Amino acid sequence: MRLFRLASVVAAVGSLVCLTFAQPAAAQAPLKMAYALSSSSHYGAGAEAFAKTLEKSGKFKVQQFPNSALGGEREVLEGLQLGTIDLAIVSTGATLNFVPQTGVFDIPFLMRDLQHARKVMDGPSGQAMLGEFSKRGIVALAWGEQGFRHLTNSKRPVVTAADAKGLKIRTTENPVHIAAFRQIGILPTPMAWPEVATALQQGTIDGQENPLSVITSAKLSQMQKYLSLTGHVYAPTVILVSPSVFGSLSDADRKLFKQAALNGSAAMRAYVDNVEKSGVEQLKKDGMQVSTVDRKSFEAAVAPAYPEFERKFGKALIDSIRNTQ
C-alpha cells in the first residue's frame, strides 16, 4: 500500500514537471519596453521591429509602454539598472547622466549629414561607445536614430544666430547642448519631455529643438509657429536591455536580442529617411513658417565652445569622428 502511494506521488510530480517544461512560452512574462514618444513615432517603429523579431522566436513576448508611461528617460534608465524595466529606447540627452562620453555625438555641427553620422555610429567610435554602458549597469545593444535637430519657436523667424538670441528654448539635460546654446545667446531651459507640451502651451518657454521625426510625430506644429532648419546636432538614440534580463539569456538568445536591436535601428532609420523627405512639406501644410538658416553664422557662434568640448571628450576622438568618410 505504501509503495502504491509513493508511486502515485512520483507519477504526479513527474507529470507536473513535464507540463511545466512543455509550456515555457506560456509561463514567460512579457518584457516591458519603455520609450518617450508615441507608438506611431520613430521610437514606436524601432520598438515594433524589435518586438516582432523577438516574438517570432516563440520564446519572448514584449509589452510596449510608449508616451513615457513608465516615467521620463532618466527614470527609465534607473529602471533598467534596477531590473524593473526590461527594455528601452532612449535619447543621448538622457544617457549623459549615466555614460557622459556619449555626449561627444551631441557636439553641434560635428556630423555633416545622415550618411556621415551613420558611418560614425556603425564604426569603431560608435561601437566602442556601446560598450561603455555595461560599466554603468546597463546593456546597450545598438544605436537607433532620430535625425538632425532643428529649432522651433513661437516668437519670430530665425535665420541667423543673432535672430535666436534671447529665446527661451527647452533643451534636454545635456551640458553639450546647453553650452552651445549659451554661446549663441539662447536661454537654454532643461526640461523632461513629458512637461514640454504644457510649457509651450502656457508660454513658459518660447520653443524647443528636436529632429523632424519628433516635431512631426509630437504634432508640435499645433503649438509652434516657426521652424528653422538649423540641423545643429545629430540625434542618435540607443536600444537598451536590463542586465538582469540579458544576463539570464543563453548565447543564442543574446544574439537574437542583438539582431532584434539591429532590426529596430534599421526601422528607425527608415522612418527618419521618410520624414526627412516629407516632414517639412507636412509642417508647412500644418501652418508652420519654415526657414532655411545661415548655417555659417551658427557655426561661428558655437565655435568658442569647441575648446571646452575638446577638453571634455578629447581632440583625437572629435577629429576621428569629423574625419570619418
Side-chain angles (χ1 to χ4, degrees), residues 152 215 221 224-227 283-284 286-290:
T152 72
I215 295 169
S221 57
Q224 298 273 266
K225 175 66 176 176
Y226 303 103
L227 166 64
L283 293 168
K284 285 180 179 178
D286 292 343
M288 292 194 87
Q289 181 176 323
V290 180

Side-chain angles (χ1 to χ4, degrees), residues 35-315:
Y35 50 97
L37 298 180
S38 73
S39 57
S40 61
S41 69
H42 52 299
Y43 281 68
E48 186 65 14
F50 186 100
K52 283 185 175 179
T53 304
L54 288 191
E55 289 171 356
K56 280 181 182 178
S57 71
K59 295 181 179 181
F60 303 98
K61 292 182 180 296
V62 177
Q63 184 178 5
Q64 297 181 43
F65 291 87
N67 295 312
S68 300
L70 299 182
E73 289 191 325
R74 178 192 286 268
E75 289 80 13
V76 166
L77 286 162
E78 291 170 348
L80 289 167
Q81 290 176 320
L82 294 170
T84 57
I85 295 174
D86 303 310
L87 302 159
I89 302 175
V90 302
S91 71
T92 52
T95 64
L96 277 174
N97 294 308
F98 298 79
V99 185
Q101 302 96 310
T102 57
V104 71
F105 301 126
D106 287 308
I107 294 176
F109 306 110
L110 180 59
M111 308 285 199
R112 296 185 297 275
D113 50 35
L114 282 175
Q115 183 180 16
H116 174 218
R118 289 169 182 176
K119 284 185 177 180
V120 169
M121 305 315 289
D122 294 342
S125 297
Q127 295 307 295
M129 196 68 72
L130 289 176
E132 294 295 318
F133 283 81
S134 62
K135 299 175 184 178
R136 301 305 300 269
I138 305 171
V139 178
L141 297 173
W143 292 107
E145 182 173 84
Q146 303 195 71
F148 278 86
R149 304 179 80 91
H150 305 289
L151 182 70
T152 72
N153 83 94
S154 58
K155 294 291 187 182
R156 56 182 177 267
V158 172
V159 176
T160 68
D163 297 330
K165 286 184 178 180
L167 289 175
K168 194 172 184 180
I169 301 297
R170 177 266 177 177
T171 67
T172 61
E173 297 178 27
N174 187 325
V176 177
H177 291 186
I178 291 169
F181 283 134
R182 283 177 176 159
Q183 286 293 334
I184 294 170
I186 286 171
L187 304 175
T189 306
M191 185 180 295
W193 177 251
E195 302 169 16
V196 172
T198 300
L200 289 172
Q201 291 166 340
Q202 294 179 346
T204 308
I205 52 177
D206 299 320
Q208 60 84 58
E209 48 85 44
N210 257 307
L212 290 173
S213 54
V214 177
I215 295 169
T216 54
S217 64
K219 302 187 185 305
L220 291 177
S221 57
Q222 298 176 2
M223 294 168 267
Q224 298 273 266
K225 175 66 176 176
Y226 303 103
L227 166 64
S228 299
L229 299 175
T230 49
H232 49 278
V233 167
Y234 173 72
T237 64
V238 61
I239 301 173
L240 304 168
V241 58
S242 168
S244 62
V245 170
F246 200 68
S248 69
L249 299 175
S250 67
D251 288 344
D253 286 340
R254 288 184 180 188
K255 289 180 181 178
L256 174 65
F257 271 62
K258 289 179 179 178
Q259 185 58 56
L262 291 174
N263 292 349
S265 173
M268 296 183 85
R269 289 179 177 183
Y271 188 106
V272 168
D273 284 338
N274 180 62
V275 80
E276 289 290 330
K277 294 176 183 177
S278 63
V280 170
E281 290 307 312
Q282 181 58 52
L283 293 168
K284 285 180 179 178
K285 289 179 183 178
D286 292 343
M288 292 194 87
Q289 181 176 323
V290 180
S291 299
T292 300
V293 303
D294 176 2
R295 183 181 171 97
K296 288 185 178 179
S297 75
F298 281 91
E299 290 178 348
V302 170
Y306 260 73
E308 177 185 338
F309 300 148
E310 290 174 354
R311 286 192 296 271
K312 190 167 189 175
F313 303 112
K315 188 175 186 301

